[in-house]
Amino acid sequence: MESKPHFVLVPLLAQGHMIPMLDMAHLLAERGARVSYITTAVNAGRIKTTIDRIKESGLPIHFVEFQLPCAKAGLPEGCENFDLLPSIDFFKSMMLAIGMLREPLELYLRAQHSPPACIITDFCNPPETTDAARELRIPRVIFHTTSCFFPLCAHLIYRHKIFDRIIDEYETFLVPDFPGEAIEVNKVQAPGFFGGLASEDLLESALKAEATAEGLVINSFDELEPSYIQQYEKMLGKKVWTIGPLCLYNKDVDNKVTRGNNSSIDNRKILTWLDSKEEMSVIYISFGSYALVGPSQLIEIGSGLEASNKPFIWVVKGVERSIPEVEKWLCEFEERTSSRGIIIRGWAPQMVILSHPAVGGFLTHCGWNSTLEAVAAAGVPMVTWPRVADQFLNEKLVVQVLRIGVSAGLKVPSSYLAEDSDVVVKRDDIEKAVWNLMDGGEEGEERRKRAKDLGEKARRAMDEGGSSYMNMKHLLQYFS
Ligand code: UDP
């Protein structure tokens, strides 16, 4: 007789979705569940060290590797993660390939001795994963990798059919029926679910999957956005379990270093460097797992950082420095700033960096994970530089509502693969924003204090007896 409830987790194949779901898998397993985590060979390869560690520890997480039918869906072979797409034009093919996982998923679910207690599937997954669970009558929960602030805005805009009457996509409007402070946006900054990339059919089926789910799990915590959580729960008329910040699962350095991918820098090197810096003196710059910065903007960022004279850790991706002139510029820049800066070429151990007391600020693209990690791991304020999708609304939450960020001043989304000519923020403005964040006088101190305070609340939420801890307990009880 099976004693532990069996949870099957189906993440979207993107770093910002797989990483928090793996944190969730750890938490569920530690709190008494048995977990199956659906993945593919390429994605499993990235977290091999984590998988080996889990096997050794005996934690009941089983990694189920499906073969993604890349060629059949029109994807290059091995293109198993959104950050491997040659361009965003392959979005549809990727969704098609993920949808084709329905068959192996259904076979896997059928092969279980007793039906799983619950299947948790990412809101952004195509509907086929939902269909498999529905067919087998397995209780289903939707996971949003965002705050409640974002889907609440997106729903209200959609329900009020705001976009039907908007002709100018830069025309500003207030999000209707929104609780608390008025939120003013335009269409380009609030394109809705899927960053406006989904067809009407995909959007409709995702909303239907949400409406027919048993409930939702959200990577957020009650003390961060109480009125939005309540309103969202009320609007959907179903349980919303806020169980985050999930990143706080990663307490020891070993977990943090290998989280999500193999780090491109030696951990001792980065820690020794950070140890040598004053508390809260370093600014960390990263645009997440897939948004790229074009060559001209890259040089502008470097020049702004150089002029700011602040210690920094800057993450630059492989594709960004693939142009020889860019790499040459970076090498020269690195030499000039070697006494106070580090460039990480590739994948940064973000949780290691953010948890270090020397880090005092984060220039971020406002991906929801990065935003929460800034709050939870570091309690540091942010320079916000949104690019696409939910990121402009995350900026609103951070700058306008929580008042723990300084905007870099972006008004328009920039493409995932920024063109060379795109300089959207000039070096002087970058320098100013960095100064404002790190030495913002009385206002800056207040901002820092608020960020620290939220960081403490985040940790308390995850500690035994805290709000997220209790929500996880209720989630487990509900499906036991
Ligand atoms: N991340 C990391 N190292 C990197 C880039 C990203 O650890 O070099 C992690 C980061 O900590 C976060 C996730 O990848 O957990 C990115 O998710 P987010 O929602 O911030 O942005 P996205 O990549 O989805 O745009």
mmCIF file of all heavy atoms in Angstrom, residues 12 73 75 82 85-98 124 193-199 202 416:
data_model
loop_
_atom_site.group_PDB
_atom_site.id
_atom_site.type_symbol
_atom_site.label_atom_id
_atom_site.label_comp_id
_atom_site.label_asym_id
_atom_site.label_seq_id
_atom_site.Cartn_x
_atom_site.Cartn_y
_atom_site.Cartn_z
ATOM 1 N N LEU A 12 7.299 23.594 -17.747
ATOM 2 C CA LEU A 12 7.565 24.047 -19.112
ATOM 3 C C LEU A 12 9.070 23.923 -19.309
ATOM 4 O O LEU A 12 9.845 24.139 -18.358
ATOM 5 C CB LEU A 12 7.138 25.519 -19.267
ATOM 6 C CG LEU A 12 7.299 26.095 -20.673
ATOM 7 C CD1 LEU A 12 6.184 25.601 -21.589
ATOM 8 C CD2 LEU A 12 7.278 27.633 -20.654
ATOM 9 N N ALA A 73 8.668 18.200 -34.849
ATOM 10 C CA ALA A 73 8.014 19.495 -34.597
ATOM 11 C C ALA A 73 8.706 20.645 -35.327
ATOM 12 O O ALA A 73 8.315 21.800 -35.171
ATOM 13 C CB ALA A 73 7.995 19.757 -33.098
ATOM 14 N N LEU A 75 12.032 21.430 -34.989
ATOM 15 C CA LEU A 75 13.092 22.042 -34.176
ATOM 16 C C LEU A 75 14.428 21.393 -34.513
ATOM 17 O O LEU A 75 14.469 20.204 -34.853
ATOM 18 C CB LEU A 75 12.834 21.795 -32.684
ATOM 19 C CG LEU A 75 11.671 22.516 -32.021
ATOM 20 C CD1 LEU A 75 11.496 21.982 -30.597
ATOM 21 C CD2 LEU A 75 11.914 24.023 -31.973
ATOM 22 N N PHE A 82 13.757 26.398 -24.112
ATOM 23 C CA PHE A 82 13.506 27.681 -24.799
ATOM 24 C C PHE A 82 14.794 28.484 -24.982
ATOM 25 O O PHE A 82 14.916 29.251 -25.930
ATOM 26 C CB PHE A 82 12.468 28.509 -24.030
ATOM 27 C CG PHE A 82 11.051 28.128 -24.387
ATOM 28 C CD1 PHE A 82 10.406 27.096 -23.729
ATOM 29 C CD2 PHE A 82 10.385 28.780 -25.410
ATOM 30 C CE1 PHE A 82 9.107 26.727 -24.073
ATOM 31 C CE2 PHE A 82 9.091 28.426 -25.768
ATOM 32 C CZ PHE A 82 8.445 27.394 -25.101
ATOM 33 N N LEU A 85 16.429 27.872 -28.435
ATOM 34 C CA LEU A 85 15.746 28.185 -29.703
ATOM 35 C C LEU A 85 16.626 29.106 -30.545
ATOM 36 O O LEU A 85 17.131 30.109 -30.039
ATOM 37 C CB LEU A 85 14.412 28.902 -29.440
ATOM 38 C CG LEU A 85 13.278 28.121 -28.785
ATOM 39 C CD1 LEU A 85 12.009 28.966 -28.747
ATOM 40 C CD2 LEU A 85 13.008 26.817 -29.513
ATOM 41 N N PRO A 86 16.787 28.792 -31.836
ATOM 42 C CA PRO A 86 17.587 29.670 -32.696
ATOM 43 C C PRO A 86 16.988 31.071 -32.772
ATOM 44 O O PRO A 86 17.698 32.047 -32.904
ATOM 45 C CB PRO A 86 17.534 28.985 -34.062
ATOM 46 C CG PRO A 86 17.082 27.589 -33.805
ATOM 47 C CD PRO A 86 16.280 27.600 -32.553
ATOM 48 N N SER A 87 15.667 31.160 -32.709
ATOM 49 C CA SER A 87 15.017 32.469 -32.643
ATOM 50 C C SER A 87 13.617 32.247 -32.100
ATOM 51 O O SER A 87 13.131 31.117 -32.019
ATOM 52 C CB SER A 87 14.955 33.125 -34.023
ATOM 53 O OG SER A 87 13.811 32.676 -34.708
ATOM 54 N N ILE A 88 12.973 33.364 -31.732
ATOM 55 C CA ILE A 88 11.657 33.244 -31.119
ATOM 56 C C ILE A 88 10.617 32.783 -32.149
ATOM 57 O O ILE A 88 9.534 32.346 -31.792
ATOM 58 C CB ILE A 88 11.261 34.561 -30.402
ATOM 59 C CG1 ILE A 88 10.203 34.314 -29.333
ATOM 60 C CG2 ILE A 88 10.836 35.653 -31.372
ATOM 61 C CD1 ILE A 88 10.636 33.395 -28.235
ATOM 62 N N ASP A 89 10.992 32.794 -33.441
ATOM 63 C CA ASP A 89 10.095 32.270 -34.473
ATOM 64 C C ASP A 89 9.826 30.775 -34.266
ATOM 65 O O ASP A 89 8.900 30.221 -34.849
ATOM 66 C CB ASP A 89 10.712 32.451 -35.876
ATOM 67 C CG ASP A 89 10.934 33.915 -36.175
ATOM 68 O OD1 ASP A 89 10.278 34.750 -35.525
ATOM 69 O OD2 ASP A 89 11.776 34.228 -37.038
ATOM 70 N N PHE A 90 10.664 30.124 -33.457
ATOM 71 C CA PHE A 90 10.490 28.686 -33.204
ATOM 72 C C PHE A 90 9.571 28.410 -32.008
ATOM 73 O O PHE A 90 9.440 27.279 -31.567
ATOM 74 C CB PHE A 90 11.855 28.009 -32.979
ATOM 75 C CG PHE A 90 12.655 27.839 -34.242
ATOM 76 C CD1 PHE A 90 13.384 28.896 -34.765
ATOM 77 C CD2 PHE A 90 12.674 26.626 -34.914
ATOM 78 C CE1 PHE A 90 14.117 28.751 -35.930
ATOM 79 C CE2 PHE A 90 13.405 26.467 -36.083
ATOM 80 C CZ PHE A 90 14.129 27.537 -36.592
ATOM 81 N N PHE A 91 8.973 29.484 -31.461
ATOM 82 C CA PHE A 91 8.087 29.338 -30.292
ATOM 83 C C PHE A 91 7.013 28.274 -30.553
ATOM 84 O O PHE A 91 6.805 27.370 -29.749
ATOM 85 C CB PHE A 91 7.445 30.702 -29.968
ATOM 86 C CG PHE A 91 6.402 30.657 -28.887
ATOM 87 C CD1 PHE A 91 6.773 30.718 -27.545
ATOM 88 C CD2 PHE A 91 5.041 30.537 -29.179
ATOM 89 C CE1 PHE A 91 5.808 30.669 -26.536
ATOM 90 C CE2 PHE A 91 4.084 30.489 -28.185
ATOM 91 C CZ PHE A 91 4.465 30.565 -26.857
ATOM 92 N N LYS A 92 6.351 28.409 -31.714
ATOM 93 C CA LYS A 92 5.241 27.500 -32.045
ATOM 94 C C LYS A 92 5.728 26.057 -32.113
ATOM 95 O O LYS A 92 5.073 25.138 -31.605
ATOM 96 C CB LYS A 92 4.652 27.882 -33.404
ATOM 97 C CG LYS A 92 3.360 28.613 -33.322
ATOM 98 C CD LYS A 92 2.819 28.731 -34.724
ATOM 99 C CE LYS A 92 1.424 29.282 -34.726
ATOM 100 N NZ LYS A 92 1.045 29.665 -36.079
ATOM 101 N N SER A 93 6.896 25.852 -32.770
ATOM 102 C CA SER A 93 7.431 24.486 -32.904
ATOM 103 C C SER A 93 7.733 23.896 -31.532
ATOM 104 O O SER A 93 7.501 22.714 -31.281
ATOM 105 C CB SER A 93 8.718 24.493 -33.728
ATOM 106 O OG SER A 93 8.494 25.094 -34.955
ATOM 107 N N MET A 94 8.250 24.734 -30.649
ATOM 108 C CA MET A 94 8.580 24.252 -29.307
ATOM 109 C C MET A 94 7.304 23.822 -28.579
ATOM 110 O O MET A 94 7.266 22.762 -27.945
ATOM 111 C CB MET A 94 9.283 25.380 -28.534
ATOM 112 C CG MET A 94 9.853 24.946 -27.215
ATOM 113 S SD MET A 94 11.162 23.729 -27.479
ATOM 114 C CE MET A 94 11.809 23.586 -25.863
ATOM 115 N N MET A 95 6.259 24.635 -28.711
ATOM 116 C CA MET A 95 4.996 24.288 -28.048
ATOM 117 C C MET A 95 4.418 23.005 -28.657
ATOM 118 O O MET A 95 3.876 22.170 -27.945
ATOM 119 C CB MET A 95 3.984 25.437 -28.175
ATOM 120 C CG MET A 95 4.381 26.695 -27.436
ATOM 121 S SD MET A 95 4.675 26.450 -25.670
ATOM 122 C CE MET A 95 3.048 26.710 -25.014
ATOM 123 N N LEU A 96 4.594 22.864 -29.954
ATOM 124 C CA LEU A 96 4.117 21.663 -30.639
ATOM 125 C C LEU A 96 4.852 20.432 -30.097
ATOM 126 O O LEU A 96 4.244 19.403 -29.775
ATOM 127 C CB LEU A 96 4.380 21.828 -32.144
ATOM 128 C CG LEU A 96 3.806 20.783 -33.073
ATOM 129 C CD1 LEU A 96 2.281 20.872 -33.065
ATOM 130 C CD2 LEU A 96 4.306 21.000 -34.511
ATOM 131 N N ALA A 97 6.175 20.553 -29.980
ATOM 132 C CA ALA A 97 6.990 19.431 -29.484
ATOM 133 C C ALA A 97 6.575 19.062 -28.061
ATOM 134 O O ALA A 97 6.413 17.879 -27.734
ATOM 135 C CB ALA A 97 8.472 19.803 -29.538
ATOM 136 N N ILE A 98 6.371 20.068 -27.217
ATOM 137 C CA ILE A 98 5.982 19.779 -25.824
ATOM 138 C C ILE A 98 4.609 19.107 -25.797
ATOM 139 O O ILE A 98 4.375 18.167 -25.040
ATOM 140 C CB ILE A 98 6.007 21.063 -24.956
ATOM 141 C CG1 ILE A 98 7.422 21.657 -24.926
ATOM 142 C CG2 ILE A 98 5.549 20.763 -23.526
ATOM 143 C CD1 ILE A 98 7.532 23.006 -24.240
ATOM 144 N N CYS A 124 1.873 27.557 -18.617
ATOM 145 C CA CYS A 124 2.269 27.822 -20.004
ATOM 146 C C CYS A 124 2.415 26.565 -20.845
ATOM 147 O O CYS A 124 2.686 26.654 -22.046
ATOM 148 C CB CYS A 124 3.584 28.611 -20.041
ATOM 149 S SG CYS A 124 3.417 30.233 -19.340
ATOM 150 N N PHE A 193 -0.881 36.933 -20.941
ATOM 151 C CA PHE A 193 -0.229 35.631 -20.790
ATOM 152 C C PHE A 193 0.603 35.309 -22.031
ATOM 153 O O PHE A 193 0.286 35.763 -23.118
ATOM 154 C CB PHE A 193 -1.286 34.550 -20.579
ATOM 155 C CG PHE A 193 -2.080 34.750 -19.317
ATOM 156 C CD1 PHE A 193 -3.397 35.172 -19.361
ATOM 157 C CD2 PHE A 193 -1.502 34.538 -18.077
ATOM 158 C CE1 PHE A 193 -4.133 35.371 -18.195
ATOM 159 C CE2 PHE A 193 -2.227 34.725 -16.902
ATOM 160 C CZ PHE A 193 -3.537 35.144 -16.960
ATOM 161 N N PHE A 194 1.633 34.544 -21.858
ATOM 162 C CA PHE A 194 2.545 34.111 -22.933
ATOM 163 C C PHE A 194 3.224 35.303 -23.624
ATOM 164 O O PHE A 194 3.678 35.193 -24.756
ATOM 165 C CB PHE A 194 1.809 33.282 -24.008
ATOM 166 C CG PHE A 194 1.202 32.013 -23.494
ATOM 167 C CD1 PHE A 194 -0.121 31.960 -23.078
ATOM 168 C CD2 PHE A 194 1.957 30.849 -23.427
ATOM 169 C CE1 PHE A 194 -0.684 30.782 -22.597
ATOM 170 C CE2 PHE A 194 1.396 29.667 -22.958
ATOM 171 C CZ PHE A 194 0.079 29.636 -22.542
ATOM 172 N N GLY A 195 3.257 36.430 -22.971
ATOM 173 C CA GLY A 195 3.902 37.607 -23.547
ATOM 174 C C GLY A 195 3.310 37.990 -24.890
ATOM 175 O O GLY A 195 3.981 38.599 -25.719
ATOM 176 N N GLY A 196 2.064 37.628 -25.112
ATOM 177 C CA GLY A 196 1.405 37.984 -26.368
ATOM 178 C C GLY A 196 1.807 37.061 -27.524
ATOM 179 O O GLY A 196 1.394 37.277 -28.652
ATOM 180 N N LEU A 197 2.593 36.013 -27.238
ATOM 181 C CA LEU A 197 3.086 35.146 -28.313
ATOM 182 C C LEU A 197 2.107 34.035 -28.687
ATOM 183 O O LEU A 197 2.220 33.425 -29.738
ATOM 184 C CB LEU A 197 4.412 34.488 -27.909
ATOM 185 C CG LEU A 197 5.656 35.384 -27.831
ATOM 186 C CD1 LEU A 197 6.801 34.645 -27.174
ATOM 187 C CD2 LEU A 197 6.054 35.845 -29.227
ATOM 188 N N ALA A 198 1.150 33.782 -27.787
ATOM 189 C CA ALA A 198 0.278 32.621 -28.014
ATOM 190 C C ALA A 198 -0.869 32.949 -28.952
ATOM 191 O O ALA A 198 -1.339 34.082 -29.004
ATOM 192 C CB ALA A 198 -0.283 32.151 -26.673
ATOM 193 N N SER A 199 -1.313 31.940 -29.661
ATOM 194 C CA SER A 199 -2.509 32.083 -30.485
ATOM 195 C C SER A 199 -3.712 32.177 -29.546
ATOM 196 O O SER A 199 -3.637 31.801 -28.371
ATOM 197 C CB SER A 199 -2.665 30.851 -31.380
ATOM 198 O OG SER A 199 -2.871 29.713 -30.549
ATOM 199 N N LEU A 202 -4.479 28.767 -28.021
ATOM 200 C CA LEU A 202 -3.595 28.346 -26.924
ATOM 201 C C LEU A 202 -3.974 29.082 -25.640
ATOM 202 O O LEU A 202 -4.071 28.489 -24.561
ATOM 203 C CB LEU A 202 -2.127 28.616 -27.299
ATOM 204 C CG LEU A 202 -1.086 28.282 -26.242
ATOM 205 C CD1 LEU A 202 -1.140 26.824 -25.831
ATOM 206 C CD2 LEU A 202 0.322 28.617 -26.748
ATOM 207 N N TYR A 416 13.979 39.512 -27.969
ATOM 208 C CA TYR A 416 14.828 38.557 -27.252
ATOM 209 C C TYR A 416 16.252 38.623 -27.791
ATOM 210 O O TYR A 416 17.216 38.526 -27.062
ATOM 211 C CB TYR A 416 14.291 37.144 -27.438
ATOM 212 C CG TYR A 416 12.982 36.897 -26.766
ATOM 213 C CD1 TYR A 416 11.786 37.287 -27.355
ATOM 214 C CD2 TYR A 416 12.928 36.272 -25.531
ATOM 215 C CE1 TYR A 416 10.570 37.057 -26.739
ATOM 216 C CE2 TYR A 416 11.715 36.042 -24.903
ATOM 217 C CZ TYR A 416 10.549 36.435 -25.517
ATOM 218 O OH TYR A 416 9.352 36.211 -24.899
#
